[in-house]
Structure formats: C-alpha cells, structure tokens
C-alpha cells in the first residue's frame, strides 16, 4: 500500500515507498538480533509487521560477509550462543582478538552487560543503604578508553557508536554522549536504540532545536516520541496521526504511544478506550500495561484491574510491568504493604524501571514512611529527571514534614515539567501561602484556574486568600464563579467547598443589604449539614430586618443570574463588581 510522500506534519520525510521502508526494517531487525540488541530488533519487527507483506523477489538479501567475518565466524557463533544464555563473561572470552565489526561489537557489549549484571547483583536491596555512586559498573572506564581509541580512528560502525554513547551516558558524560548518539543516527539512521538513548538525554525543546539530525523517515518516529516525553502532547499526537496517515495504521507501537500520550494529558476516557482496543489487537502484550493499570486505578475500576493483573500473571508473572499492575491492584484495595512489596519485586527485576520507583514512593507516603518515600522518589529522578510525578511526590513529602522551602523547590521543578497542570500550580500556591508570599500564591491559583482546574479547588483557595486579605468583593466573585463551574459541569452538589461558598456569599450579600440574594444563598446553606444552622439563623435575621422595613440596597447594579438549579424560585441575584485580576495574572 503506497502512501503519498508529503503527508501533512511529516516535514520532508519520504514515506512514498513503504515497500522499501519495510525492506530496511527487516534488514535492521536482523542486524540488531545478530548483535544481541533484542529491543531494537523487536521494535523494527513490530513496525515491519504493520506494513503489507513483501513478495519473495522483494525480500532483502542477507548482509554480505567480509574476510574478517569469515575468519571470526566460528568464534562469533559460539559466543553468540553463550550471550543468548546470558553468559556474558564466557561470550567475551571467546571473542577476544576478533576483528570483524559484528564480533567486535558483541565482544564489547558482552563486557558492558557483564558489568551491568554484576552491578545489579550488588544492589541487593532496592531501598538499602547502597546509594548511587557506591555501586558502579566496573567495566565502564575500560570500555570508554578502548572505544574512544576506535572512535578517534573512525573504526566504529553505527552499532559501535551506539555502545560508545551508552558507556558515556553511564559515566554521566551527557554532552559527549549526545554528540556520539547524533553521529550514530547519521551513520545508521535505522537503529532505533540510538534514537531512544538520545531521547533520554534531551531535557527541553530548545535543546532539540540545536541537534543536527539526519533527514530520514526515522526522525519522525523520534520526534513523536520525544514530544511525548517532553509533555508536548499536541505536537506528539499530530506526528502520530501523520504516521498513521502515511501507512502505519496497523502499528501497535503507534497505538500504544497515542494511548500513553492521552494518559499524560489525563484524558482518561480516551486513553482507556485506546488501551482496550490495543488489547484486542495484541492480547498477550505486556508493555505499557502498567500505564493502563494506572488509568484503571485512577478510575477505581477494581474488577477490570483485577482481571488485568490475573491475565498478566498467566502470561508472565516475572515481568516488571506485571509486578506494577499487581502493586496497583493491592494499592487500590488499600493493602499498601503488599503493594510496596510488588513494586520492590519489580525493582529487583529491573532497578532502572522508573514507574516502579515512583509508585513505591506513593505507597510509602500512604504508609507514612516519609524517609523511604523520599529515597524512592530520588531514585526515580536519578533514572529520569523528567519524571514530574517524582518531583511532585518529593514536594508532598516535604510538605508533610513541614519544610516549605524544600517543598517549594520540588513543586517548582514539577511545574516546569508540567506548566499546564493545575495540580502543580495549586500545590505551589499553597506553598507560597505558607511562606506568606500571598501575591505569588494568588498568581498560582489564578493560573491554575486559567489552565483548567482538574480538582476544582483553585478558585476556592483564591477566594479564601482574598477573604484573609479582607478583599470581600474579589472573594465573592471567586465563590460565584466556583459555584457556576461546579453546577455547569454536573458535579455532585455536596462538593467539599460548595457549602463554604454559599455561606460566604450569604454573609456578603447580607452585609451589602441585598436581602433577596442573601436569602437565596442562605436557603442553599440549609441543604448542607455543616452550614444548616447558620443558614437558618441568617434567614431569621433577614426576615426580621424586612419586617422592620429595611429596604434592599441598590448600589451594585450589574445584573447576574445564578444557574436556575442553584436558587429557590430562580431568584435573580446581582453580581458584585467584576474582579480585576490583572494585578495577579502571571
């Protein structure tokens, strides 16, 4: 199925010959598997599977063998069998002295993985005293010296450059690693592993602009992925839609990435719908199922989460995603010790698995174990500095410990990563309030309302701040808007602060001598247990004053009608003068 080359949103990338793209994918999948790069091979294979099958005459030929390949063939074949069985030292031993690119890569990669395995084995307890820096991959420095010599002599192929970049990243030489990964994408643009490693090192969109990347169709997959990681969800979804239009509509990888993107912007219904569709297409898939379980957890869908956990257990109980799903299930049942145990199990399987560190931090928070929670969140940040949940979790932990300056720092970091997430802004506002920086707090609450307040609390907090500062008109304005919002989106009337809003408005209108409005709000107060007595008392006072001949004030003349469902007899109320928020808008 051929697609038009210039699909909207794909820049100059050429998708006109999908059969050629499929050949390239099949070829790089085979080359990746030969070098033990299973994940890159799987990614290319999944993408190739989404395209139309090739005829026998169109299949890519096997890569040509060189003299060096022929000489190293026996050693390579033996070592690869040991490598596949995870006997890395044994594989490296038999590959010593091999000169061919393929055998040399496997030799260096075996040594790298051997060091990683030993490092993981030494990290006995996932929350033990072994901090970052104490447990190291001892092979890294030697590998760097050897690969550096080869690099200077320009003897590394695309796979070799990828491994050199990984070694540099592990040694925290991020700048050098980025340069090497960019070089690797130019030398071998089809290797997804190099693009993915590059994703992990890019911290913002500005950094992305300065990268000199090859103009290839693979770049579009990379951009879509990095946009998702950088929370630029709208751009990411546009890219993925363009890739679907270009001919990758059957790709389960793209479908899963779109589901993750919707999860990131908290469009829960859409994300759940896509994940359910994905499970129909690929019922034995385990990847991303932990993200699916997060959505089921947020919606408190116990039966569905229970089914997912049992289903994944039957497929493979010793996968990190399975452990995270089971952990979420126990957390939803408020069995936090059991949940933490499964997240620890996930980390024993893969200590660099980001989601498990963050989720374990949440469980320790539930168990009031703040020191363990802090350690778990810090581990999450070490794995990925872009994880806003870990920064936010640290902010919450220090809030519990009543350390507002620490708390402010972590909430700021979370807000930088999620500038349009109202939860971060409300948390920042509360922090500023505790530090008595009320102007900053006002800015945060107003901004939280402006970006779309998820928890419908920003206006209430802003109103209470105005109350505190004796700015009664502004407070009343915020409460009116809050009530409108609650009723217009069909929220339950017993929303936590609705009674507070009606009580304040009743008292405000009473002071302004607006008896009809005060009476309407006082009657609404009678609907709530915590404000019933105050509402009745106010109604008695209004009645008494009316009987004494007190007339309603007409000073505030701007007409305003509460939603019909709010007031008995649909009594029209008058709006307080419009709130001037220009001074507090960020």
């Amino acid at each position: 199925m051929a697609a038009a080359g210039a699909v909207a949103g794909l820049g100059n990338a050429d998708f006109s010959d999908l059969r050629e793209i499929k050949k390239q994918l099949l070829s790089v999948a085979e080359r990746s598997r030969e070098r033990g790069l299973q994940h890159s091979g799987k990614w290319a294979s999944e993408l190739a599977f989404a395209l139309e099958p090739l005829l026998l005459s169109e299949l890519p030929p096997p890569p040509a063998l060189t003299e060096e390949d022929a000489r190293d063939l026996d050693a390579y074949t033996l070592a690869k069998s040991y490598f596949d069985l995870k006997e890395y030292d044994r594989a490296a031993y038999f590959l010593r002295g091999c000169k061919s690119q393929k055998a040399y890569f496997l030799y260096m990669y075996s040594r790298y993985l051997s060091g990683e395995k030993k490092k993981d084995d030494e990290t006995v307890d996932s929350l033990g005293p072994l901090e970052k820096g104490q447990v190291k991959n001892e092979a890294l420095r030697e590998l760097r010296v050897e690969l550096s010599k080869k690099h200077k002599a320009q003897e590394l192929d695309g796979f070799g450059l990828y491994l050199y970049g990984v070694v540099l990243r592990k040694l925290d030489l991020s700048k050098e690693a980025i340069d090497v990964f960019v070089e690797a994408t130019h030398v071998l643009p089809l290797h997804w592993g190099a693009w993915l490693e590059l994703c992990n090192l890019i911290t913002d969109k500005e950094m992305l602009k300065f990268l000199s990347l090859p103009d290839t169709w693979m770049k579009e997959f990379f951009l879509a992925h990095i946009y998702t990681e950088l929370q630029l969800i709208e751009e990411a979804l546009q890219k993925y839609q363009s890739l679907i239009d270009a001919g990758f509509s059957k790709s389960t990888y793209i479908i899963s990435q779109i589901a993750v993107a919707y999860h990131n912007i908290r469009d829960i219904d859409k994300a759940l719908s896509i994940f359910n569709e994905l499970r129909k297409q690929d019922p034995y898939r385990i990847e991303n199922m932990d993200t699916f379980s997060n959505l089921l957890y947020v919606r408190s869908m116990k039966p569905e989460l229970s089914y997912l956990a049992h289903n994944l257990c039957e497929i493979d109980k010793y996968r990190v995603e399975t452990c995270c799903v089971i952990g979420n299930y126990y957390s939803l049942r408020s069995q936090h010790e059991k949940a933490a145990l499964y997240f620890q199990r996930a980390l024993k399987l893969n200590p660099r698995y980001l989601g498990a560190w963050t989720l374990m931090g949440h469980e320790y928070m539930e168990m009031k174990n703040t020191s363990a929670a802090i350690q778990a969140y810090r581990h999450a940040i070490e794995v990925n500095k872009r994880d806003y949940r870990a920064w936010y979790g640290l902010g919450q932990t220090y809030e519990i410990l009543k350390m507002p300056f620490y708390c402010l720092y972590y909430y700021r970091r979370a807000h930088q990563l999620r500038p349009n997430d109202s939860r971060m802004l409300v948390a920042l506002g509360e922090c500023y309030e505790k530090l008595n920086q009320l102007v900053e707090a006002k800015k945060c609450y107003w901004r939280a309302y402006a970006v779309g307040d998820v928890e419908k609390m920003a206006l209430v907090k802003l109103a209470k701040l105005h109350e505190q500062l004796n700015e009664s008109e502004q407070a009343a304005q915020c409460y009116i808007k809050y009530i409108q919002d609650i009723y217009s989106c069909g929220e339950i009337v017993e929303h936590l602060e609705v009674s507070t809003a009606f009580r304040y408005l009743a008292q405000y209108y009473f002071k302004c001598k607006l008896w009809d409005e005060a009476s309407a709000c006082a009657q609404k107060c009678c609907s709530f247990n915590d404000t019933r007595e105050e509402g009745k008392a106010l109604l008695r006072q209004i009645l008494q004053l009316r009987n004494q001949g007190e007339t309603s004030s007409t000073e505030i003349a701007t007409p305003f009608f509460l939603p019909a469902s709010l007031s008995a007899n649909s009594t029209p109320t008058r709006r307080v003068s419009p709130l001037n928020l220009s001074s507090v808008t960020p």
Side-chain angles (χ1 to χ4, degrees):
M1 171 172 115
V7 176
L10 290 181
N12 299 322
D14 184 13
F15 285 89
S16 57
D17 191 351
L18 290 181
R19 301 188 90 72
E20 182 55 37
I21 287 173
K22 175 145 184 167
K23 281 188 206 175
Q24 293 172 359
L25 285 166
L26 291 172
S27 173
V28 80
E30 184 55 37
R31 291 175 69 193
S32 298
R33 278 194 295 271
E34 286 175 348
R35 288 160 178 81
L37 298 166
Q38 308 295 352
H39 289 287
S40 293
K42 186 183 78 165
W43 184 86
S45 303
E46 280 186 346
L47 213 55
F49 183 76
L51 299 174
E52 293 294 314
L54 297 176
L55 300 172
L56 180 61
S57 58
E58 294 176 311
L59 291 173
L65 289 174
T66 63
E67 282 293 326
E68 285 176 340
D69 286 325
R71 238 188 337 265
D72 295 341
L73 186 60
D74 289 347
Y76 165 79
T77 307
L78 177 65
K80 183 66 168 64
S81 65
Y82 294 146
F83 180 94
D84 290 341
L85 293 168
K86 294 185 168 53
E87 296 184 44
Y88 302 123
D89 288 328
R90 200 175 179 192
Y93 177 79
F94 284 99
L95 286 165
R96 290 168 310 150
C98 288
K99 303 290 183 194
S100 65
Q101 291 277 17
K102 188 164 64 176
Y104 179 74
F105 175 86
L106 197 63
Y107 168 62
M108 298 302 274
Y109 193 41
S110 297
R111 288 169 62 191
Y112 165 75
L113 287 179
S114 168
E116 285 295 292
K117 189 168 181 287
K118 285 166 188 165
K119 185 186 85 169
D120 290 348
D121 291 345
E122 275 185 57
T123 313
V124 180
D125 185 18
S126 57
L127 278 178
L130 296 166
E131 288 295 330
K132 187 188 176 191
Q134 285 180 264
V135 184
K136 290 179 179 172
N137 180 344
E138 298 298 336
L140 289 176
R141 296 194 182 282
E142 286 177 30
L143 290 171
R144 184 196 169 197
V145 170
E146 291 175 43
L147 287 165
S148 176
K149 285 176 187 170
K150 287 267 187 184
H151 184 233
K152 281 175 186 164
Q154 296 188 329
E155 291 175 8
L156 292 177
D157 64 357
F159 292 110
L161 287 165
Y162 158 76
L163 182 57
Y164 184 34
V166 169
V167 169
L168 291 170
R169 182 176 68 79
K170 288 281 183 179
L171 290 167
D172 293 325
L173 301 167
S174 301
K175 192 174 179 302
E176 294 92 326
I178 288 171
D179 293 339
V180 171
F181 284 130
V182 169
E183 190 183 340
T185 60
H186 279 276
V187 174
L188 184 63
L190 292 167
H191 180 218
W192 180 240
W195 294 101
L196 211 49
E197 286 289 345
L198 199 52
C199 273
N200 295 331
L201 293 169
I202 293 168
T203 52
D204 54 52
K205 200 174 180 181
E206 286 304 306
M207 204 169 165
L208 190 60
K209 285 178 187 171
F210 293 106
L211 292 182
S212 169
L213 299 169
D215 197 11
T216 163
W217 60 267
M218 282 287 283
K219 182 182 173 184
E220 300 306 318
F221 283 92
F222 164 75
L223 288 174
H225 189 92
I226 191 68
Y227 287 156
T228 309
E229 290 289 305
L230 295 174
Q231 306 297 329
L232 302 165
I233 304 301
E234 201 175 314
E235 291 96 320
L237 289 171
Q238 282 175 359
K239 284 281 178 197
Y240 283 126
Q241 189 54 53
S242 301
L243 289 166
I244 286 171
D245 295 341
F248 290 95
S249 57
K250 294 178 186 172
S251 168
T252 51
Y253 163 75
I254 292 177
I255 294 168
S256 68
Q257 285 295 105
I258 291 171
V260 169
Y262 279 117
H263 163 268
N264 289 356
I265 53 169
R266 297 179 69 79
D267 189 339
I268 296 170
D269 292 329
K270 188 84 175 166
L272 281 171
S273 161
I274 296 170
F275 270 122
N276 282 321
E277 185 56 41
L278 180 63
R279 275 179 63 76
K280 283 178 193 168
Q281 289 187 33
D282 193 355
Y284 292 93
R285 183 189 183 91
I286 294 182
E287 279 165 292
N288 309 116
M289 288 302 116
D290 50 336
T291 306
F292 183 33
S293 76
N294 291 343
L295 294 163
L296 296 173
Y297 178 92
V298 168
R299 276 288 154 87
S300 300
M301 298 167 79
K302 272 188 193 172
E304 291 85 348
L305 189 50
S306 171
Y307 175 76
L308 180 66
H310 281 98
N311 184 233
L312 294 185
C313 250
E314 285 172 12
I315 298 167
D316 186 351
K317 65 164 77 170
Y318 297 112
R319 277 279 291 270
V320 284
E321 294 92 342
T322 304
C323 294
C324 287
V325 171
I326 298 169
N328 271 339
Y329 171 68
Y330 281 122
S331 181
L332 189 56
R333 293 182 58 180
S334 299
Q335 293 177 256
H336 300 296
E337 290 84 358
K338 261 191 170 180
L341 192 69
Y342 273 94
F343 294 134
Q344 282 185 326
R345 189 175 289 182
L347 290 163
K348 282 194 168 67
L349 292 167
N350 182 359
R352 290 172 296 282
Y353 195 71
L354 171 69
W357 282 118
T358 309
L359 291 168
M360 190 154 69
H362 296 344
E363 293 313 306
Y364 282 125
M365 283 280 283
E366 293 287 345
M367 290 152 66
K368 306 288 186 289
N369 186 346
T370 48
S371 60
I374 287 169
Q375 205 172 351
Y377 289 134
R378 287 194 190 284
H379 273 291
I381 288 163
E382 281 167 15
V383 175
N384 183 359
K385 285 185 171 60
R386 288 196 305 259
D387 182 27
Y388 76 92
R389 295 169 305 168
W391 292 108
Y392 184 64
L394 278 169
Q396 286 180 310
T397 314
Y398 282 110
E399 197 172 345
I400 288 168
L401 295 171
K402 294 185 170 49
M403 297 168 78
F405 282 105
Y406 279 82
C407 168
L408 183 64
Y409 169 75
Y410 292 115
Y411 282 145
R412 271 181 180 159
R413 292 297 298 262
H415 170 58
Q416 283 164 6
L417 292 163
R418 298 271 289 191
N420 293 322
D421 193 321
S422 63
R423 294 167 302 163
M424 315 297 149
L425 285 156
V426 168
L428 264 177
E430 287 172 343
C431 226
Y432 280 124
E433 236 183 297
K434 282 172 190 160
L435 294 167
N436 213 29
Q437 297 183 30
L438 301 185
V439 174
E440 295 300 319
K442 279 186 193 177
K443 286 181 185 177
C444 290
Y445 292 143
W446 179 248
R447 175 78 178 146
Y449 170 67
V451 298
D453 185 15
V454 175
E455 291 166 343
K456 299 273 183 283
M457 289 303 292
L459 280 173
V460 174
K461 290 184 182 294
L462 186 57
K464 285 180 178 175
L465 207 53
H466 285 306
E467 261 189 84
Q468 201 179 318
L469 296 166
N470 295 319
E471 297 167 353
S472 53
E473 276 193 19
Q474 288 93 325
Q477 183 77 38
C478 289
Y479 278 130
I480 288 170
K481 188 68 190 149
Y482 167 70
I483 289 169
Q484 281 182 317
D485 285 359
I486 291 295
Y487 280 80
S488 65
C489 67
E491 293 271 344
I492 300 166
V493 179
E494 285 78 11
H495 195 272
L496 194 61
E497 300 287 352
V498 171
S499 58
T500 310
F502 277 122
R503 178 172 57 199
Y504 181 84
L505 287 171
Q507 290 166 349
Y508 173 79
Y509 286 130
F510 182 79
K511 282 175 193 167
C512 294
K513 297 185 178 181
L514 296 163
W515 311 131
D516 290 346
E517 292 82 343
S519 180
C521 291
Q523 282 173 2
K524 292 307 292 183
C525 286
C526 295
S527 308
F528 303 94
N529 291 332
D530 57 333
T531 54
R532 185 171 292 133
E533 293 309 314
E534 288 173 76
K536 285 177 181 175
L538 200 60
L539 283 169
R540 282 196 294 272
Q541 280 180 280
I542 293 165
L543 187 62
Q544 196 178 345
L545 288 167
R546 276 179 163 161
N547 289 340
Q548 289 171 6
E550 285 271 0
T551 56
S552 191
S553 170
T554 55
E555 285 174 19
I556 303 169
T558 311
F560 167 66
F561 296 90
L562 280 171
S565 59
L566 288 191
S567 52
N569 310 319
S570 298
T571 311
T573 62
R574 286 190 280 265
R575 182 190 282 280
V576 293
S577 55
L579 171 56
N580 177 17
L581 279 170
S582 58
S583 60
V584 296
T585 306

